[in-house]
Amino acid sequence: MALVKISYEKKIVMGYIINLMVVFALGLIYWKQMPQSGDAVLWDWILLALIILSLGMLTVVYVILKAQLKANKAYAQKLLQSQTWLQSIIDNTSNPISVKKLNGEYLLVNTQYQMLFREKTEDLIGKTNHDVLDKETADRYRSTDLDALKAGREIQVEETFDQADGPHIYLSVKFPLFDNSGRAYAIGNISTDITERKKIEQSLKAADTFFNLSVDSLVIASKEKFIKVNPSLSKLLGYSDAELLAKPFTDFIHADDTAATKKEIENLDKGTDLINFINRWVCKDGSIKWLSWNATADVRTGTLYAIVRDVTAQLMLKEKEEKERNMLYESRQKLNMILENISDGVIVANAEKQVVLANHNANVFFGIQEDAEISINFSDHFEVLYPDGETPFPAQNLPAERALLGEVTDDVDVLLRDYETNKKRRVLLSGRPIWNHENAIVAVVVTMKDISRYKKLEAELKKKDMASRTIIGFKKSKQQSEKS
């Protein structure tokens, strides 16, 4: 049989009624026992008066208890209302909040704090961390709670909570709670999720490391002065970071480039990115550096962000190459003038046997206008024979092939027969190798002297000479007689 639970208020009423009935019955019994004939003594009336007074006192006590009970109920309602308001407030904050007893039991947690342990327990109230966490983790949290108690003030610690999406880092503010006597009775905790902040800090740290270790010079600046420079720029110009940050950066720019630089900064301020802008900077030792700038600007703050590269060596090399190209062009022009005024045909071929230059006489000789279409292998254009006109001349013995092997040849006498016209020409071929500074053959020069006309004239002169000898009475030699 279940016991009926009686409220405290009903207990007071029932106690008052029972005590009232008992005192009233006692007074009635005493009244009946008193002498009715007037023989009652003073003591009897005093006792009766005390019984009646007891009834009054019981009533007064009852009224006082009722008033206290009412006051307690009102206080309890206000306390409940305050607790409800407090719970509502802390439940609607994004920070996990908790209050623990000195022994570690949870007195109060908000929704956000409970969610940290939702996979462990549905209700933390009355439990300790050792009830829901492994010993090592619970001991670590308990240690920080005790640190706050020992300090007697708030402390800040970083704590890691494992959650469904991975570990989260919280910055927890722990502090003791004191009663009116100044004695600590609980430990409060307010935590803030700083996981994203930590990631940003790590990213900023990595970016700062990259900024300082970058081979390229990196710059953050306002419109007038450097805000931050990496060591690469300081090393490049020879100034310390403090020196570069102390003055307007225009103080380090070559005077002739200051106006152009300011104009580009104005364009940056309008939102136009700066791409490969080159200007001159004066180094601490007085030397000049050519720097290439790629920059962008935050139009809201006016902050400039730039990547800087030293292009001094490149520009000097480019200038040197330009001079060399000009010299080469001039030399080639002079060579062309010389070649064009040579009566012999001249061709120049590289080590890959490609003709790179031919004079006009060579073009006429081969009957080809484009130099590159001429083959250094004469067998591609002609049948190459010995002067007897019958015996083939070995291709490997031609001057071009021998020059590629490093040999010098002079006046190699050959007979060339054109494949199309069948025309024959007597030609003297010469070849020279061209060496570079590493003693390697980079090209060959072949000259062609057409001696067909001279050979024909030589034959005619010889014939006339023989005819003249007969007229003036010279006897024929034995060999000439045999030929006759």
Side-chain angles (χ1 to χ4, degrees):
M1 181 177 175
L3 297 175
V4 178
K5 189 175 181 180
I6 301 174
S7 67
Y8 181 67
E9 184 178 4
K10 287 182 179 180
K11 289 180 180 179
I12 291 175
V13 174
M14 290 175 64
Y16 170 69
I17 293 172
I18 291 172
N19 281 282
L20 190 63
M21 291 174 63
V22 169
V23 173
F24 184 77
L26 182 62
L28 186 60
I29 293 171
Y30 191 80
W31 172 262
K32 292 293 185 180
Q33 292 178 354
M34 285 179 61
Q36 301 294 324
S37 59
D39 296 330
V41 294
L42 181 60
W43 181 253
D44 293 327
W45 291 106
I46 291 173
L47 288 176
L48 185 60
L50 289 173
I51 292 173
I52 295 171
L53 183 60
S54 296
L55 290 173
M57 291 297 294
L58 280 173
T59 302
V60 171
V61 170
Y62 172 72
V63 171
I64 291 173
L65 289 175
K66 286 286 287 184
Q68 287 182 343
L69 182 61
K70 185 177 180 180
N72 288 340
K73 287 179 71 175
Y75 176 76
Q77 288 178 350
K78 289 182 179 180
L79 181 61
L80 179 61
Q81 187 179 39
S82 297
Q83 289 177 338
T84 303
W85 287 349
L86 175 61
Q87 190 69 45
S88 178
I89 291 171
I90 64 175
D91 282 343
N92 285 280
T93 184
S94 59
N95 296 80
I97 298 174
S98 68
V99 177
K100 299 176 188 175
K101 293 180 180 180
L102 298 183
N103 64 358
E105 290 183 15
Y106 283 100
L107 287 172
L108 174 69
V109 295
N110 69 343
T111 304
Q112 294 296 331
Y113 196 92
Q114 180 67 54
M115 287 179 65
L116 298 179
F117 297 87
R118 62 181 178 274
E119 296 181 0
K120 309 290 184 181
T121 181
E122 294 182 358
D123 188 6
L124 282 170
I125 304 301
K127 296 183 175 67
T128 69
N129 285 332
H130 286 86
D131 295 328
V132 294
L133 298 173
D134 62 88
K135 185 177 184 304
E136 181 181 353
T137 304
D139 286 345
R140 187 169 65 250
Y141 294 161
R142 179 61 176 165
S143 176
T144 57
D145 291 343
L146 295 177
D147 287 342
L149 277 176
K150 293 176 183 177
R153 55 178 177 79
E154 71 173 40
I155 62 171
Q156 295 185 0
V157 294
E158 289 186 7
E159 297 179 315
T160 301
F161 290 87
D162 291 325
Q163 299 185 28
D165 59 347
H168 280 235
I169 302 173
Y170 285 82
L171 179 63
S172 296
V173 179
K174 297 177 179 284
F175 48 91
L177 298 175
F178 301 96
D179 58 20
N180 292 334
S181 64
R183 183 172 57 89
Y185 68 92
I187 304 166
N189 177 84
I190 302 175
S191 300
T192 303
D193 191 342
I194 59 171
T195 306
E196 290 302 319
R197 186 198 304 176
K198 280 291 185 181
K199 290 179 180 178
I200 293 173
E201 286 178 357
Q202 291 174 355
S203 298
L204 290 175
K205 185 177 180 180
D208 196 54
T209 301
F210 171 79
F211 186 89
N212 290 324
L213 296 180
S214 175
V215 176
D216 291 331
S217 298
L218 304 179
V219 169
I220 302 174
S222 65
K223 297 176 187 178
E224 296 84 18
K225 296 180 70 174
F226 291 123
I227 297 174
K228 187 175 182 180
V229 297
N230 71 339
S232 178
L233 184 64
S234 301
K235 183 178 179 181
L236 179 63
L237 297 178
Y239 299 99
S240 67
D241 289 359
E243 289 173 320
L244 290 173
L245 300 180
K247 299 179 182 179
F249 50 71
T250 51
D251 288 3
F252 305 100
I253 299 175
H254 192 283
D256 293 343
D257 294 343
T258 302
T261 303
K262 288 182 177 179
K263 184 177 180 180
E264 293 299 331
I265 292 174
E266 291 175 2
N267 292 334
L268 273 171
D269 194 40
K270 296 175 183 177
T272 303
D273 289 344
L274 186 65
I275 300 175
N276 197 29
F277 171 69
I278 299 176
N279 59 0
R280 287 167 291 179
W281 289 69
V282 181
C283 300
K284 191 170 185 177
D285 61 5
S287 61
I288 302 297
K289 295 281 188 182
W290 291 84
L291 303 184
S292 172
W293 294 77
N294 291 284
T296 189
D298 186 337
V299 294
R300 295 178 294 105
T301 62
T303 304
L304 311 180
Y305 302 90
I307 300 175
V308 189
R309 290 186 178 178
D310 181 9
V311 294
T312 307
Q314 296 176 19
L315 292 178
M316 291 179 65
L317 179 62
K318 185 177 180 181
E319 183 179 358
K320 181 181 178 182
E321 290 175 347
E322 185 68 24
K323 288 181 179 179
E324 290 177 349
R325 279 196 298 268
N326 291 337
M327 292 175 63
L328 181 61
Y329 177 77
E330 292 176 4
S331 299
R332 184 162 181 167
Q333 290 298 104
K334 292 177 181 178
L335 178 60
N336 283 335
M337 290 180 64
I338 294 172
L339 292 177
E340 294 302 331
N341 286 280
I342 294 177
S343 59
D344 297 340
V346 181
I347 59 174
V348 180
N350 59 24
E352 287 74 36
K353 300 184 179 182
Q354 298 171 333
V355 174
V356 295
L357 181 63
N359 68 350
H360 175 71
N361 289 331
N363 295 129
V364 173
F365 182 87
F366 287 98
I368 298 172
Q369 293 299 318
E370 295 297 329
D371 297 353
E373 294 178 7
I374 299 173
S375 173
I376 197 171
N377 185 0
F378 280 64
S379 298
D380 293 338
H381 303 285
F382 309 101
E383 182 182 7
V384 185
L385 305 170
Y386 277 102
D388 62 11
E390 300 294 335
T391 308
F393 193 94
Q396 65 271 20
N397 290 338
L398 288 170
E401 295 294 335
R402 293 169 67 180
L404 287 170
L405 296 175
E407 297 181 35
V408 176
T409 54
D410 291 309
D411 297 335
V412 177
D413 193 357
V414 296
L415 181 69
L416 303 179
R417 185 178 65 81
D418 192 293
Y419 290 124
E420 296 181 0
T421 64
N422 210 33
K423 180 182 177 181
K424 296 180 180 179
R425 284 183 287 183
R426 286 284 294 279
V427 179
L428 294 178
L429 301 177
S430 300
R432 295 284 189 282
I434 298 176
W435 309 81
N436 64 8
H437 64 281
E438 295 177 351
N439 204 31
I441 297 174
V442 294
V444 295
V445 179
V446 177
T447 61
M448 301 149 288
K449 179 182 287 188
D450 189 344
I451 59 172
S452 301
R453 181 182 175 187
Y454 300 116
K455 287 295 181 181
K456 184 177 180 180
L457 289 173
E458 183 181 342
E460 290 177 355
L461 287 172
K462 188 173 182 181
K463 185 177 181 181
K464 288 180 180 181
D465 181 63
M466 292 303 299
S468 299
R469 285 174 178 269
T470 302
I471 293 172
I472 62 177
F474 280 98
K475 292 182 178 181
K476 295 181 180 180
S477 66
K478 184 178 180 181
Q479 184 179 4
Q480 288 173 339
S481 299
E482 290 176 354
K483 287 183 180 180
S484 300

